[in-house]
């Protein structure tokens, strides 16, 4: 589907959003379950429910094909991804399919500890490593690009009373657009909101969201997620043609000459 | 080794350059052997031999560990890579080691059909696909960034009387710096000289260099390769520290509070 | 006006688009008048007329305040700009106002010889110089970023049977996103479709459009202009707050200490 | 002078570095004079004196042509710039000359309150505005790009016990490379070390350096300045050729056809 301008795409069809959460901590740790009784993805549903043009699906690690089979992935326009304890249990063939789908145009929003997921590392090509400390300290998520659609509605910074520290250096390629930079009480900074394009697909990484704190219930964090899903929508979902261009189809006439090993 | 400024690094030790060529066509096709009797890497040696601060090593697909074992990779500062027919025969564990070495700081110069190598795709995170036509047509490699060190000594464009066409769209992330754009007789253009940083390492892709034409003997192409090797030299080869920062070592005093699942 | 997400902005109010053309050649040269009887901006109106959410205004050099006074500029969301013979006659104070409006969020689409306008050079900070030749030669405008919304609906390349050559090196900062690269019959290439963000505003430069050829009547060129106007729409039009943050309003309590010269 | 590779340039001639300081506060405020008895530029001389390949010149606002006439600018390879109270007193024609020299290849290192200088705003094309607070609070300058030559020798972060707060949003174009991000005790963050290329010249902005604190005497800050000067050295100082390419000199033969208004 190649869309004829933004507006047609927006209104003639719903945006299919799949919320992928490994869903381990919430089932194993009562203190996490208390914060996220419907799973971390449950809080995302709260964030996105009110947006009329979205159609939401959830998927988790333990489901067959991690919930991404049976055409779910092929029909997904934007995918959210949260993982932590189960990164290694995500099947490589599923990761390869998600990767192909992003390159074809699907948007992906990678959240918090998802920085170390197979799919994020595959898209970035780098270590995606960082420094971290879990002390329930204060975090301020500053907007550094106030005109960016993902920062829409956020003035100055988001204050999180308790958060896990993620610190620099963060092993990512230079972002195409840096939207948020975090401040931590213990003295660190972090490029916690960053955008890249990979193939036809848009990638947004957003660092807040530790399982031990109610961060995904924070209205401003929910706003960022809502913005990010809308920003990540595909502009096109047709892969670009590439391949051999036969000599007789060259746009300027060329006569084949010289050696060839093909 | 963390170097104290550029100059110390330049002169106190030689830059270790490893030239990796799959070395298949030259052995199987007499017409290629005629152009590159010492292999494609032989032409690179001609290009680099005169630079006093370089120490050159060659490595090929058929060697044990593809010629990158026994400490060769660990002692390489800049790696050149050309492959075509044998991409799939490059072992995944060797690719993973090359990848780690780039992220630690080794420069890599990927040439022509190396765009489809496992290592380049792993560094880019994209398809790296392109359009192509083998008709021995004319190519002009235009400098679009005349101040870039890799374009040093190249005025306007490099004319190649016979070349393989590589055309857009090229499935790469937006380059950090675009240095060359090619024009083809048959009507296409191609972003054929582009730079990225991945981790501590620098990556340069340069498209000219088909095995059927004597492109690597062209003095200006040799100049670009010489420039690229010098540009790709590591500024540092120590991986950045990341990992857990214990609460008691935070730079500002923080008192741990709140739940934790660790 | 800070908009709450994309969709509200799109539909609750029209996008105010101002088409600025110096409008000299069309009045002085019969051969230009024949191609653009309603001015070059007349052809843009044809391109944009069908889009229901746009409200179009035209402005020209000879009008008082170049047609940008009386609140026109303050109510413009996206500005198109074409100039050539009259660059120097554009008043500096008007340029300064356009500049401020872009930094506040207004999009600007700079066309063809507008590369040498005061406003484009002020936004870029560079020479914006290029090579050129007027020989009515063939141009192909290749899509290098097929997923970009400005390339929506354009497959492969746009063929222009007669065009003015614009060639590299083009004196611009590295584009944030490169969308089109042109091929010319005479042997040159040109980065003719490029995006930047400056302040809150989006900037798109598009090179096709010489006054001597009917390029702005070409359906695909009109499609690009239509796409560009929609892409350049403001996400926000409130300038970001900056200024002094008094000590007593710091988010973490700080006690002023040490010398100060203020 | 177009240099044949890095090494020739490095050693065959000295790098001409001009240190420009408006030099007002040090003369008017005893508390500043106590910290910088030889001017702020005196501390930079301390930082750079030990580097054998540099030749240092100083220039100040009150000198004729601000100390940049008589061939000083034309012979400068890298310019440092600090201004604050006297931005408006810098003559526009001198700013235009500095701008041209950067575009031709001269490196420029803009320090602290220089963010609001005419030359920096002209190079960036944006407001260059920021938030600020003078409370002598703690700053940590974190390395976010550990492999960048300007960060060479800096591990983790630089701690400044007393500094002026500079906060986001900072009105700059997206940096080509972000090297440092600052943390402030009062709760803010700032992209305080950033690189751009403009024309042939390299631009580095570095935020630490308030006149009321001895920041330029800090060994790590001096190290960054030393690194920045070496990084900013020109790779070429010949402006790129642009201009008209006559039809008869086109690289592919073209026959002029169609109308022309020239």
């Amino acid at each position: 589907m190649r869309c004829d301008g933004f507006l047609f795409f927006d209104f003639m069809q719903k945006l299919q959003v799949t919320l992928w959460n490994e869903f381990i901590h919430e089932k194993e740790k009562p203190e996490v379950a208390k914060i996220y009784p419907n799973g971390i993805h449950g809080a995302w549903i709260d964030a996105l429910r009110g947006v009329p043009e979205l159609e939401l699906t959830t998927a988790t690690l333990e489901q067959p094909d991690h919930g991404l089979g049976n055409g779910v992935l092929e029909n997904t326009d934007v995918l959210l991804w949260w993982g932590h304890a189960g990164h290694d249990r995500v099947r490589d063939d599923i990761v390869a399919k998600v990767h192909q789908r992003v390159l074809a145009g699907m948007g992906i929003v990678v959240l918090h500890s998802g920085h170390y997921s197979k799919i994020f590392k595959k898209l970035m090509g780098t270590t995606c490593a960082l420094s971290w400390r879990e002390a329930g300290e204060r975090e301020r998520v500053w907007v550094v690009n106030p005109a960016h659609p993902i920062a829409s509605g956020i003035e100055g910074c988001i204050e999180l009373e308790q958060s896990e520290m993620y610190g620099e250096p963060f092993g990512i390629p230079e972002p195409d657009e840096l939207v948020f930079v975090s401040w931590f009480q213990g003295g660190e900074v972090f490029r916690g909101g960053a955008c890249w394009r990979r193939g036809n697909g848009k990638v947004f990484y957003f660092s807040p969201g530790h399982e031990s704190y109610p961060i995904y219930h924070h209205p401003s964090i929910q706003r960022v997620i809502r913005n990010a899903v809308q920003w990540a929508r595909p502009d096109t979902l047709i892969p670009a043609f590439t391949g051999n261009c036969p000599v007789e189809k060259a746009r300027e006439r060329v006569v084949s000459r010289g050696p060839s090993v093909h």
Side-chain angles (χ1 to χ4, degrees), chain A residues 178-198:
Chain A
L178 186 61
V179 184
F180 299 106
V181 172
S182 281
W183 174 102
F184 290 94
Q185 191 181 356
E188 287 85 0
V189 296
F190 192 66
R191 290 171 294 165
C195 303
W196 298 263
R197 188 176 56 80
R198 286 292 177 270

Side-chain angles (χ1 to χ4, degrees), chain A residues 160-174:
Chain A
L160 301 171
E161 187 52 32
Q162 283 190 287
S163 189
E164 183 183 33
M165 186 279 286
Y166 272 14
E168 295 284 344
F170 185 18
I172 48 171
E174 195 83 33

Side-chain angles (χ1 to χ4, degrees), chain A residues 20-146:
Chain A
W20 196 93
N21 176 17
E22 68 170 32
F23 201 31
I24 294 175
H25 296 302
E26 302 95 318
K27 289 185 291 188
E28 294 183 354
K29 312 266 179 179
E31 60 273 35
V32 178
K34 213 162 73 181
I35 301 171
Y36 296 113
N38 303 311
I40 281 175
H41 49 301
W44 301 340
I45 292 176
D46 293 342
L48 297 168
R49 204 194 321 258
V51 189
E53 75 270 24
L54 306 183
E55 197 139 296
L56 307 179
T57 306
T58 62
T60 61
L61 182 66
E62 68 179 356
Q63 292 179 305
D65 297 331
H66 310 321
L68 297 172
N70 286 324
V72 168
L73 190 61
E74 292 75 9
N75 287 296
T76 297
D77 295 312
V78 179
L79 179 67
L80 274 71
W81 194 277
W82 195 102
H84 184 205
H87 287 324
D88 287 345
R89 291 160 53 194
V90 178
R91 273 166 38 206
D92 287 341
D93 63 315
I94 303 288
V95 174
K97 279 186 184 173
V98 173
H99 186 238
Q100 285 309 309
R101 180 78 184 156
V102 172
L103 299 186
M106 181 181 73
I108 186 166
V109 177
V110 176
L111 293 159
H112 190 62
S113 44
H115 76 92
Y116 237 35
S117 61
K118 289 180 181 178
I119 181 61
F120 189 59
K121 289 195 280 189
K122 194 174 180 70
L123 285 162
M124 296 292 106
T126 54
T127 64
C128 301
L130 47 77
S131 296
W132 57 277
R133 176 178 58 237
E134 194 184 20
E137 69 198 274
R138 208 153 33 247
E139 173 177 3
R140 284 191 186 83
V141 185
W142 283 92
V143 177
V144 303
N145 184 341

Side-chain angles (χ1 to χ4, degrees), chain A residues 197-214:
Chain A
R197 188 176 56 80
R198 286 292 177 270
N200 292 346
K202 293 174 203 149
V203 181
F204 180 61
Y205 173 75
F206 192 49
S207 61
H210 195 49
E211 69 276 4
S212 305
Y213 315 114

